[in-house]
Amino acid sequence: MLTRRTFTKALGTGAAAASLTGAGLPAAFASDAASAPASASASASGTARTPVVVPTVTPGTHTTFPALKHVRAGLLDVGYAELGPSDGPVVLCLHGWPYDIHSFADVAPLLADLGHRVIVPYLRGHGTTRFLSSRTFRNGQQSAVALDVLALMNALGIDRAVLAGFDWGSRTADILAALWPERVKALVSVSGYLITDRAAQLNPIAAAAEHTWWYQYYFATERGERAMQNPDRRRELTRFVWQQVSPTWQFDDATFARTAAAFENPDYAAVVVHNYRWRLGIAEGEHRYDQFEARLARRPVITVPTITLDPGLDPFTAPGDGASYRAMFTGPYDHRTLPTTGHNLPQEAPTAFAQAVVDATRL
């Protein structure tokens, strides 16, 4: 089992890692520096448990987090928000692109008020998260991002957690649940099974679906990379994506500005562009991640208790009410569709998202 003791020495650096011992991943990982209703569930004895109902909150009620924290974890100095009791059951909320931790500004206090310890990290290349070394390749491939989160759990002494995310966050949570299920108590995954199948990515899809992915192909060009590097073009592009994928979300300028500040990270453009180029097979990853990508290429099923959420107005949502990925989840499972919600589901429908987290732990 890959525990925080074996993992952190191999992958991480800094004070948080220095006290941990044991053998783990290959040496290549060493530092480069040198609303859905609550459902009743049954216990092992068959006794029904009383549902926990998350209070309804109007989206946008909360706009800020307490002062951010930092911890050295693996290749990164991770910036993260933390709410709730330090001894509560842990929930890690993982954001997507082009978003940041503010997607969980309402979700986090809802869960904290119910006794959860909620951790909301900036992913690599976002916000206050920084690489420890200038020599580290600014890699956006899926296993690199997943291992960042595993390193964060190890650095914070978290052996198991509920993982809940959307977009890049769903993919990252799915990977951890698939490869290290012993570290995942339960999973909430918006849009289901999002582990990238690079072989399938080589095949064309329907023209309308290809059109939806316009920015993925834009980033494959030097022109698109320059747009991401230019602050004005980047803000214009990311705001346009918000409008496209969440057609009924009436966010204001201040809401966008809070998140767009995370895009000023000096590594943002490099990580984002590499992520999409890697998915298309036109950029290479790093050999240190080959063993994990090989396992993911075999399309591993997810066995941990899972709730999947489909946003009905998201142009990326597959038809069939979750049927297209149902077979990839073989453990306790529930699926919910939010018909009037767009891509940024936790920020648009925080009560439903928080309810899914609570219910996933009781499947």
Side-chain angles (χ1 to χ4, degrees):
M1 180 175 84
L2 189 61
T3 67
R4 63 185 177 90
R5 289 187 178 274
T6 58
F7 176 86
T8 308
K9 182 179 179 184
L11 178 60
T13 61
S19 63
L20 301 179
T21 60
L25 296 178
F29 283 96
S31 167
D32 296 81
S35 67
S39 56
S41 58
S43 67
S45 63
T47 302
R49 293 186 291 176
T50 303
V52 175
V53 179
V54 174
T56 299
V57 64
T58 301
T61 296
H62 302 89
T63 59
T64 61
F65 287 98
L68 297 184
K69 299 183 178 182
H70 282 265
V71 66
R72 286 192 170 197
L75 303 175
L76 303 173
D77 181 275
V78 180
Y80 66 99
E82 181 171 354
L83 288 80
S86 60
D87 59 349
V90 180
V91 179
L92 265 72
C93 295
L94 305 174
H95 68 80
W97 182 89
Y99 306 96
D100 82 328
I101 65 173
H102 289 89
S103 289
F104 302 101
D106 285 319
V107 169
L110 283 172
L111 295 173
D113 288 347
L114 292 172
H116 296 275
R117 179 187 179 193
V118 186
I119 308 291
V120 192
Y122 281 110
L123 299 184
R124 59 168 54 194
H126 293 73
T128 60
T129 291
R130 296 290 188 272
F131 287 89
L132 293 175
S133 172
S134 61
R135 297 197 298 270
T136 304
F137 176 55
R138 273 40 178 174
N139 187 340
Q141 75 183 101
Q142 60 181 356
S143 59
V145 180
L147 284 161
D148 289 344
V149 176
L150 196 58
L152 174 64
M153 292 176 65
N154 293 339
L156 295 178
I158 299 168
D159 289 322
R160 295 181 75 219
V162 178
L163 301 184
F166 74 108
D167 196 85
W168 287 24
S170 287
R171 180 172 297 106
T172 301
D174 289 352
I175 291 169
L176 289 167
L179 298 188
W180 297 284
E182 70 277 6
R183 306 299 299 274
V184 182
K185 180 179 180 181
L187 172 68
V188 174
S189 183
V190 175
S191 303
Y193 190 90
L194 292 188
I195 297 174
T196 297
D197 184 344
R198 290 185 88 202
Q201 288 276 94
L202 299 176
N203 298 317
I205 55 179
E210 297 278 27
H211 176 266
T212 302
W213 283 105
W214 64 271
Y215 57 84
Q216 179 170 260
Y217 309 124
Y218 187 42
F219 294 156
T221 69
E222 184 176 349
R223 184 183 179 108
E225 183 174 14
R226 289 182 178 180
M228 286 300 289
Q229 293 169 342
N230 181 295
D232 293 334
R233 293 296 181 212
R234 180 172 60 233
R235 288 173 68 92
E236 179 185 46
L237 185 155
T238 52
R239 184 165 184 145
F240 182 65
V241 171
W242 278 30
Q243 294 166 339
Q244 272 200 316
V245 301
S246 295
T248 61
W249 183 31
Q250 301 300 313
F251 61 89
D252 58 19
D253 291 344
T255 298
F256 177 75
R258 279 189 291 271
T259 288
F263 309 159
E264 302 304 313
N265 184 300
D267 300 309
Y268 183 76
V271 169
V272 170
V273 168
H274 182 261
N275 175 282
Y276 289 102
R277 290 181 177 181
W278 178 86
R279 288 198 222 177
L280 290 174
I282 59 176
E284 294 301 318
E286 293 179 271
H287 290 308
R288 68 171 80 191
Y289 301 109
D290 285 352
Q291 62 170 303
F292 306 109
E293 296 298 346
R295 293 170 64 188
L296 295 173
R298 294 194 285 271
R299 313 296 286 161
V301 298
I302 292 173
T303 60
V304 305
T306 299
I307 292 179
T308 56
L309 301 172
D310 272 356
L313 298 182
D314 181 359
F316 301 117
T317 295
D321 199 25
S324 63
Y325 52 73
R326 175 64 184 90
M328 306 308 296
F329 299 94
T330 61
Y333 180 80
D334 190 19
H335 172 78
R336 300 165 185 178
T337 295
L338 280 65
T340 61
T341 303
H343 188 76
N344 187 8
L345 191 150
Q347 197 162 0
E348 297 179 60
T351 301
F353 189 90
Q355 187 68 64
V357 171
V358 170
D359 292 347
T361 67
R362 300 162 65 84
L363 286 176

